[in-house]
Amino acid sequence: MNEPRPPRAESLPSPRRPSPLSGPTAPGGPVWYAAYGSNMHAGRLARYLSGGRPTGAARSYSGCRDRTPPARTLPILLSGTLYFALESSTWTGGTAFYDPAPGGDLPARAYLLTAGQFADIAAQEMYREPAADLDLTRVLTAGRDRVGPGRYETLLRLGGLDGIPVLTFTAPGTLADAVLNPPSAAYLATMAAGLAEAHGWSAARAATYLATRPGAATRWTPESALRAIRSAAAPSA
């Protein structure tokens, strides 16, 4: 593909870090969804919201019950580690997961969504049809909730932005427990496009970051990841 062209640095807001929330947060209000994998790319997230098949993916999505675009989008930095593990039926190869244990800065992208949209994205990540809202009471109060046994059914509250909770989902275990597996070229390309959109990263910077995450090194070096990103079909949707 054509190398993702990062936006001009001055046109992007500075990445923000979620801050501790003061006081209780009632379930049902808006939430920030913190995307750290392929959903950093807005075109890929749009397939979860409105339906369709992402470029380079092997399956299609039905979309959310509410297909309204995100109200806001922000680049953010999380504390923790991105790693690749298990096997994706969508992309083949490993899937991105987040271990919140301190491990440096992890670039991510926050989308301001309804609680229902967040639930519907989580359902589609688990290959289910969107049907019902999640009960977010426990994750909002305790900071963590396991709503099922699946790979993306552990919910995390990562703090807040502008008084609105920042949530994400990841595997129930940790990096130490993971069955690591390197990602596919199409997955890398989609993540690189998201890093370009959200943080203004060049393809070379994204390749170095992604190739050095746990799970990637058995297949990728920064140089081979950059070649894959540049040669993959443009992930426009």
Side-chain angles (χ1 to χ4, degrees), residues 2 17 26 46 59 70 73 79 85 89 97 99 102 161-162 170 185 196 209:
N2 294 327
R17 296 180 184 273
R59 64 188 295 262
T73 303
S79 176
S89 65
F97 294 99
D99 186 338
L161 292 168
D162 303 327
T170 189
Y209 168 71

Side-chain angles (χ1 to χ4, degrees), residues 44-67:
R44 196 277 185 265
L45 182 77
R47 303 285 70 79
Y48 276 128
L49 290 171
S50 58
R53 178 176 295 192
T55 299
R59 64 188 295 262
S60 298
Y61 297 87
S62 57
C64 293
R65 292 166 292 167
D66 176 356
R67 303 191 174 205

Side-chain angles (χ1 to χ4, degrees), residues 1-79:
M1 72 173 187
N2 294 327
E3 180 173 329
R5 185 182 297 277
R8 294 176 63 87
E10 59 269 24
S11 69
L12 291 171
S14 298
R16 295 174 60 182
R17 296 180 184 273
S19 58
L21 285 166
S22 57
T25 302
V31 299
W32 290 99
Y33 161 46
Y36 53 84
S38 61
N39 284 346
M40 287 188 291
H41 179 48
R44 196 277 185 265
L45 182 77
R47 303 285 70 79
Y48 276 128
L49 290 171
S50 58
R53 178 176 295 192
T55 299
R59 64 188 295 262
S60 298
Y61 297 87
S62 57
C64 293
R65 292 166 292 167
D66 176 356
R67 303 191 174 205
T68 306
R72 292 174 64 195
T73 303
L74 291 173
I76 59 173
L77 290 174
L78 305 176
S79 176

